[in-house]
Amino acid sequence: MCGIVAYTGSNEAYPILIKGLKRLEYRGYDSAGVALSQGNKIGLYKCRGRVADLDLFCSDKDIKACAGIAHTRWATHGEPNTQNAHPHLSEDGKIALIHNGIVENYLVLKKELMSRGYKFQSNTDTEVLVHLIQDIFVKEQVPLEEAVRIALGGVVGTYALAILSADNPGQIILAKKGSPLLIGIGDNEYYVGSDGAPIVEYTKKVVYLEDGDVAVVAPQKKLVIRNINDNAKKRPYWQKLEMNLEQLEKDGFEHYMLKEIFEQPKAIRDSMRGRLNVQKDVVSLGGIIEYETKMMNARRFIIVACGTSYHAGLVAEYLFENIARIPVEVEYASEFRYRNPLIYEDDVIIAISQSGETADTIAAVELAKRKGATVIGICNVVGSTLARATNAGSYTHAGPEIGVASTKAFTAQVTVLTLMALSIARKKGTLALSEYHQIIGCLEDIPEKVNEILQLDDIIKDISTHFVNKRNAIYLGRGVNYPVALEGALKLKEISYIHAEGYPSAEMKHGPIALIDEEMPVIVLATEQETYEKTVSNIQEVIARKGRIISIVTKGDTLVKEMSNYCIEIPATTELLTPLISCIPLQLLAYHVAVLRGCNVDKPRNLAKSVSVE
Ligand code: F6R
């Protein structure tokens, strides 16, 4: 949800900023802009469209500078055009500002500033910040960082800010509340990013700013961090950035999404690494050890998440209830936070998020903490807001996920949730040792089975040609395959723009069956399951209405295969682990359909990877 990059030092800033923006483009790609510190002036270049458009636009401009701030936008307030692109300038052209987040009270602030004669150039909420800061700076005659601090005291909402001033070339002021921002230190120089991607190439020594921090960076000077509320100085806490540059490359794949789909055997293995001790019959998730007793004795688990992470939560409901016998509720974080939910001190909240920055999920966590519940996080991005906001948690270790559509993060989340359920079940005594061994054995085989399914890529690509002109699709699944049906539909709609819905197979006859005709592709998850026979009946119901069946079946199945127009066979596994493999053909199917339709699979329209606004 908007990406921020900044640099100050003795190197040329522009190439660093543009490269950084390219690496952050997954956070939004409606417009891009850069403000450069050029002598006692600010050079401002921005345009609608992608970072590549900005780079082209700048190709004949004077872009020499040793400091600058840059932004790639996911539009919230104001349509995606050049006028609304960041950076925004103060009226005297001396202050440039970029923002990730939302100023909730911007209308009140805007009205007040307009009544004092300020003229606005854009329809964004962000522009109020730059005028407000300038107003205080001029009136109060304080240093700019102090004006920023005072201004933010009156701002309601979330922000990660980077501010450049013509009067102080080379100095960049940063502030954070609710949106991520980290600072990397190089050789008398500073790199800033919404995450580590624009920084990792240059340094691994970083400070993650915390909510309420205002920081000032300038070459050859020490980083200064103060608190917005009481102006108290804070000692920077330097950490090692856990990221490799190679992980950010496409590695010969046409798209990040395809690369990430194919990385799943490794991602699943990495998410299990060091956590399974087969000889000793234990699963140990270091991050939650201290809280396992609390988890074992929990009144219930409430899982909060959004999108694909929510679907992983739905899979976890089956896992925890089946093997650990703990009641589970799975909630969209955005609904949970606003419905005044009953939360008890002996509840355990599990928040799942790939990015660890999803605003609604973070807000749900804060709410649960205020009510005294224990909060466990499962997230992929090391050092993210979620990782720091929870009592304890486990990283998924899937590596950076850059394609906007989540793939390997989902399977890694389900793997970690499986380990969590196994660990708690063994300690609670709700899972017999023999069953435990059986599940562990199957879990260890999952990466190889995923690999086997990836070999079907060409067959799936072939099947996808029959989707290209479809306008709708229905995904059906029962039990653990129901969340997979939801996930399959989400993948298809978000990257190919074909309308798709997932349903529990048996729910179809309560309404959606009215949609079935010879034009409707129905993707059915019909793997070996307790409810297999019921699924067969549901397929018959679709065929009777001339629907086209694309089935995912267990290798060796003949019954459903014969009934299907197209069939994808996947290896057998134990029922509870099925989602880890049954989701793979659906990811590939969505990918190939989207490519055939000419869609930008890595950057689907209107989306952003990290949804750090409500
Ligand atoms: C779908 C997708 C989104 C995210 C959702 C939550 O492919 O990527 O639905 O799953 O925005 O994001 P995280 O997991 O970062 O909280």
Side-chain angles (χ1 to χ4, degrees), residues 415-473:
T415 307
V416 170
L417 288 158
T418 307
L419 296 176
M420 222 173 241
L422 284 168
S423 175
I424 294 166
R426 271 311 291 152
K427 292 196 172 109
K428 262 190 93 178
T430 48
L431 185 68
L433 196 59
S434 57
E435 280 179 87
Y436 172 81
H437 281 155
Q438 190 243 348
I439 299 175
I440 293 282
C442 291
L443 191 57
E444 287 187 306
D445 290 342
I446 291 289
E448 201 30 61
K449 291 186 173 163
V450 172
N451 226 344
E452 222 179 286
I453 301 169
L454 294 173
Q455 307 314 310
L456 306 177
D457 189 36
D458 281 344
I459 297 174
I460 297 171
K461 190 173 175 181
D462 227 43
I463 296 175
S464 72
T465 57
H466 302 278
F467 267 80
V468 182
N469 299 316
K470 299 290 176 200
R471 301 186 54 163
N472 301 289

Side-chain angles (χ1 to χ4, degrees), residues 456 458-464 466-467 522-527 532 539 548-570 585-586 589:
L456 306 177
D458 281 344
I459 297 174
I460 297 171
K461 190 173 175 181
D462 227 43
I463 296 175
S464 72
H466 302 278
F467 267 80
V522 181
I523 298 93
V524 188
L525 291 138
T527 53
Y532 176 81
I539 294 174
R548 315 275 296 163
I549 298 287
I550 296 103
S551 61
I552 315 296
V553 300
T554 305
K555 222 178 190 170
D557 179 292
T558 48
L559 182 61
V560 171
K561 194 173 177 182
E562 277 164 21
M563 293 159 69
S564 309
N565 298 85
Y566 309 100
C567 178
I568 302 165
E569 293 184 65
I570 63 171
L586 304 191
L589 191 65

Side-chain angles (χ1 to χ4, degrees), residues 141-388:
Q141 297 285 304
V142 288
L144 187 59
E145 60 271 32
E146 179 60 3
V148 170
R149 197 185 70 79
I150 298 170
L152 292 178
V155 169
V156 179
T158 55
Y159 45 80
L161 298 177
I163 300 158
L164 199 65
S165 143
D167 290 341
N168 234 326
Q171 175 189 278
I172 298 169
I173 300 168
L174 307 160
K176 170 189 154 46
K177 186 182 156 211
S179 302
L181 204 56
L182 60 155
I183 304 170
I185 186 167
D187 190 13
N188 289 320
E189 58 190 353
Y190 290 98
Y191 301 85
V192 177
S194 297
D195 68 26
I199 300 176
V200 65
E201 185 172 346
Y202 313 101
T203 178
K204 287 208 168 188
K205 193 174 166 190
V206 295
V207 168
Y208 291 88
L209 287 186
E210 294 188 339
D211 283 355
D213 286 351
V214 177
V216 181
V217 291
Q220 318 274 359
K221 291 205 178 142
K222 279 203 168 147
L223 165 65
V224 178
I225 306 179
R226 289 182 184 276
N227 183 272
I228 288 177
N229 300 323
D230 59 11
N231 206 16
K233 223 172 169 180
K234 212 171 125 179
R235 207 196 175 102
Y237 173 47
W238 294 103
Q239 300 184 53
K240 185 169 177 258
L241 181 61
E242 302 281 346
M243 189 182 266
N244 293 319
L245 194 55
E246 306 79 67
Q247 294 173 317
L248 304 174
E249 309 295 336
K250 271 196 235 160
D251 209 15
F253 284 91
E254 203 182 329
H255 296 100
Y256 281 111
M257 183 181 176
L258 191 62
K259 174 188 175 228
E260 287 155 10
I261 291 174
F262 273 79
E263 275 175 350
Q264 286 176 107
K266 178 174 182 311
I268 294 171
R269 240 179 244 122
D270 287 347
S271 64
M272 288 196 272
R273 196 180 304 284
R275 291 169 166 174
L276 273 183
N277 186 334
V278 182
Q279 280 82 37
K280 292 198 177 148
D281 288 331
V282 287
V283 171
S284 80
L285 287 155
I288 59 157
I289 275 177
E290 273 181 64
Y291 286 86
E292 267 192 334
T293 313
K294 267 212 159 131
M295 292 177 85
M296 274 159 57
N297 299 319
R299 174 195 291 242
R300 63 183 170 163
F301 286 176
I302 304 174
I303 299 181
V304 290
C306 304
T308 290
S309 298
Y310 170 80
H311 298 154
L314 289 177
V315 175
E317 182 174 16
Y318 290 89
L319 289 161
F320 286 121
E321 292 204 340
N322 267 278
I323 61 177
R325 307 305 290 158
I326 294 171
V328 179
E329 287 169 26
V330 191
E331 298 241 18
Y332 283 116
S334 53
E335 288 299 312
F336 178 77
R337 63 181 287 199
Y338 284 119
R339 66 171 179 76
N340 192 15
L342 287 171
I343 306 173
Y344 303 101
E345 287 187 2
D346 51 356
D347 281 333
V348 168
I349 310 308
I350 302 181
I352 311 173
S353 172
Q354 186 287 129
S355 61
E357 303 296 346
T358 301
D360 285 317
T361 308
I362 305 293
V365 163
E366 298 300 344
L367 173 68
K369 281 203 313 200
R370 283 200 298 279
K371 301 269 181 173
T374 299
V375 185
I376 304 292
I378 294 183
C379 87
N380 195 36
V381 177
V382 176
S384 58
T385 304
L386 181 69
R388 284 175 287 127

Side-chain angles (χ1 to χ4, degrees), residues 511-529:
I513 199 163
L515 295 168
I516 308 281
D517 61 17
E518 61 276 10
E519 281 302 308
M520 180 67 85
V522 181
I523 298 93
V524 188
L525 291 138
T527 53
E528 263 170 16
Q529 264 184 294

Side-chain angles (χ1 to χ4, degrees), residues 550-612:
I550 296 103
S551 61
I552 315 296
V553 300
T554 305
K555 222 178 190 170
D557 179 292
T558 48
L559 182 61
V560 171
K561 194 173 177 182
E562 277 164 21
M563 293 159 69
S564 309
N565 298 85
Y566 309 100
C567 178
I568 302 165
E569 293 184 65
I570 63 171
T573 186
T574 192
E575 182 167 342
L576 274 177
L577 301 187
T578 309
L580 283 169
I581 56 172
S582 59
C583 69
I584 311 288
L586 304 191
Q587 295 170 347
L588 284 170
L589 191 65
Y591 170 80
H592 288 300
V593 173
V595 171
L596 281 175
R597 286 167 67 92
C599 302
N600 185 340
V601 289
D602 280 338
K603 297 186 185 100
R605 71 181 179 211
N606 306 339
L607 287 174
K609 181 100 190 130
S610 176
V611 187
S612 52

